[in-house]
Amino acid sequence: MAVCSAYTTQSLNSTCSISTPAKTHLGFHQKEVVFYRRSSKRGGSGSSSGPCVITCSAGDSQTVVIGLAADSGCGKSTFMRRLTSVFGGAAEPPKGGNPDSNTLISDMTTVICLDDYHSLDRTGRKEKGVTALDPRANDFDLMYEQVKAIKSGVAVDKPIYNHVTGLLDPPELIKPPKILVIEGLHPMFDERVRDLLDFSIYLDISNEVKFAWKIQRDMAERGHSLESIKASIEARKPDFDAYIDPQKKYADAVIEVLPTQLIPDDNEGKVLRVRLIMKEGVKHFSPVYLFDEGSTISWIPCGRKLTCSYPGIKFHYGPDTYFGNEVSILEMDGQFDRLDELIYVESHLSNISTKFYGEVTQQMLKHADFPGSNNGTGLFQTIVGLKIRDLYEQITSSKTAAPLEATKA
């Protein structure tokens, strides 16, 4: 169903022409249908009116928009790969486009990185003394207008921020997909953009775990010193606390990664306690629960049905409040030894939106090499991906049903 805007009212006694795609000043691509009324001079004066212009998008239906917020190095890319896998098809950069594009396109999804809306390149940020986390380094007006256009089924020419050169490259054409995922530092920062989201997720990595991960990566893989790593973290912390972290209060789901409580004084960050915080009352979204919805439950599943080495696995589920909102929280502390045994845990979870028995386990085994596949990060990312698929199907079915109901009225 096309999305149209009529600019004048005209008689149906008209001729019609369809123009070539027009490009707006904000980089939108759309088609115009122009109606011309025939003139009539029967025994008197007659006149012809001007054209009526109707602008229509090419999309069949509105795009469902998902927002994913997190700091850099917190697992956004891994989550995107799990999510696009649920919908099928490999996520790849636009074919024939900029090799340094940040966009990923699969059969049903398009993932755009909000770094592309930086208004300042690397040199510009350095000259002005701001980081990429600072709103002053980002163009929220363009972000809003283009996400709104894509959601309405209109293609846009989206800018590209080149992470290799630190420059702003020429734009790329983004056509409306069935599902648009906007991921980055600020998907929920601007209220206008936030209101366009059909569902939002925040990846909340605690300072202790983030520091442990960064040490493991930057010291082992990049040869950085401990002092330089600490300095890097401290330098961006004020802007993270001011502009990024507050967005989690708006999220429909938060995946919170914390140090384990199973090992006293653990500071290695290898064993994790992960919490899936799910807001109650979100349209098309029912929180996952363990055993009995609304109850408070602690469960240690280790035994003959689940292989667990030290320090074991512990689950917790129950209602709570989060920034004043009623939520349900599912928590896992520890890690799996054998992913094929995950089906035992899966069988005790409800509202996980699977299509068949064991789908969560299948998805986890499919991506066993992804980071977090042996702990709650991979498990909860997979479940949220399945919940987003269910949300998409509910939204599209409701849109299909609406015109049918209207014809019956």
Side-chain angles (χ1 to χ4, degrees):
M1 184 167 57
V3 180
C4 303
S5 301
Y7 294 98
T8 62
T9 304
Q10 295 291 331
S11 166
L12 293 178
N13 180 23
S14 60
T15 60
C16 172
S17 67
I18 301 178
S19 72
T20 56
K23 181 178 175 182
T24 72
H25 73 288
L26 289 171
F28 305 157
H29 289 259
Q30 50 197 22
K31 288 188 176 182
E32 294 179 347
V33 183
V34 185
F35 292 88
Y36 296 90
R37 187 181 178 196
R38 295 191 182 97
S39 62
S40 175
K41 296 184 180 181
R42 288 188 179 179
S45 62
S47 62
S48 60
S49 62
C52 164
V53 179
I54 300 179
T55 300
C56 299
S57 72
D60 293 330
S61 62
Q62 283 193 336
T63 294
V64 172
V65 183
I66 308 298
L68 174 66
D71 196 6
S72 62
C74 287
K76 295 190 298 292
S77 298
T78 301
F79 182 80
M80 287 300 95
R81 288 189 289 168
R82 292 189 193 275
L83 175 62
T84 53
S85 174
V86 167
F87 287 97
E92 299 175 343
K95 294 181 179 178
N98 187 329
D100 294 322
S101 170
N102 304 306
T103 302
L104 294 173
I105 298 174
S106 65
D107 294 348
M108 293 181 63
T109 64
T110 293
V111 180
I112 62 174
C113 175
L114 296 184
D115 288 358
D116 288 335
Y117 292 99
H118 287 340
S119 56
L120 299 173
D121 61 18
R122 194 175 294 158
T123 301
R125 294 196 300 271
K126 187 175 182 180
E127 290 174 348
K128 292 185 177 293
V130 298
T131 71
L133 290 74
D134 193 311
R136 292 173 294 176
N138 297 273
D139 189 341
F140 288 101
D141 290 336
L142 183 61
M143 183 192 300
Y144 163 68
E145 293 294 346
Q146 292 203 337
V147 173
K148 180 182 177 183
I150 296 172
K151 186 178 178 73
S152 300
V154 179
V156 304
D157 281 322
K158 181 189 62 59
I160 298 174
Y161 176 75
N162 192 314
H163 286 95
V164 177
T165 64
L167 301 174
L168 300 173
D169 286 354
E172 61 185 353
L173 177 65
I174 301 295
K175 297 179 181 179
K178 295 184 183 298
I179 300 165
L180 174 70
V181 182
I182 59 171
E183 62 91 0
L185 298 169
H186 302 98
M188 292 171 269
F189 179 84
D190 187 287
E191 183 179 5
R192 299 168 301 169
V193 178
R194 191 164 66 239
D195 288 344
L196 295 173
L197 302 178
D198 293 291
F199 194 77
S200 55
I201 310 106
Y202 185 91
L203 302 183
D204 187 15
I205 315 301
S206 71
N207 291 331
E208 300 93 331
V209 173
K210 192 184 298 184
F211 183 61
W213 283 0
K214 197 166 180 65
I215 287 176
Q216 291 171 20
R217 185 191 68 180
D218 290 357
M219 289 187 71
E221 300 176 13
R222 302 180 181 179
H224 294 182
S225 67
L226 183 62
E227 291 72 21
S228 67
I229 294 170
K230 288 180 178 179
S232 173
I233 292 174
E234 290 302 316
R236 63 187 287 118
K237 192 175 186 303
D239 281 355
F240 172 80
D241 291 343
Y243 309 121
I244 312 305
D245 195 55
Q247 293 176 77
K248 62 188 178 188
K249 66 184 176 185
Y250 302 114
D252 298 313
V254 175
I255 297 178
E256 185 178 51
V257 183
L258 303 159
T260 182
Q261 292 182 334
L262 300 176
I263 304 174
D265 302 319
D266 176 71
N267 58 8
E268 292 186 4
K270 293 181 179 179
V271 179
L272 302 173
R273 179 167 66 102
V274 186
R275 305 203 311 161
L276 175 57
I277 304 169
M278 300 162 283
K279 190 180 291 183
E280 297 282 356
V282 176
K283 192 174 182 180
H284 306 303
F285 177 80
S286 300
V288 179
Y289 64 90
L290 176 67
F291 291 117
D292 184 36
E293 187 173 14
S295 297
T296 299
I297 295 168
S298 291
W299 180 43
I300 299 176
C302 300
R304 288 176 293 179
K305 295 183 179 180
L306 192 67
T307 304
C308 294
S309 57
Y310 179 81
I313 293 177
K314 184 177 181 179
F315 281 87
H316 181 82
Y317 162 76
D320 207 334
T321 57
Y322 187 77
F323 289 99
N325 297 303
E326 296 296 320
V327 298
S328 290
I329 300 179
L330 179 63
E331 176 183 309
M332 175 186 164
D333 196 349
Q335 57 191 26
F336 301 107
D337 285 351
R338 293 182 54 181
L339 280 182
D340 59 325
E341 295 178 344
L342 174 61
I343 196 164
Y344 169 60
V345 172
E346 180 180 349
S347 66
H348 290 81
L349 297 172
S350 298
N351 273 355
I352 51 178
S353 300
T354 52
K355 298 274 188 193
F356 54 86
Y357 179 72
E359 187 177 12
V360 171
T361 303
Q362 183 193 72
Q363 285 288 328
M364 291 284 284
L365 287 167
K366 183 179 178 182
H367 303 300
D369 59 332
F370 284 11
S373 290
N374 67 338
N375 60 46
T377 57
L379 175 62
F380 294 157
Q381 286 177 5
T382 298
I383 289 174
V384 171
L386 294 172
K387 298 295 292 183
I388 290 173
R389 180 183 66 186
D390 181 60
L391 177 134
Y392 165 76
E393 291 173 350
Q394 290 188 57
I395 291 174
T396 52
S397 64
S398 64
K399 288 178 181 177
T400 302
L404 295 176
E405 292 299 322
T407 60
K408 295 176 182 178

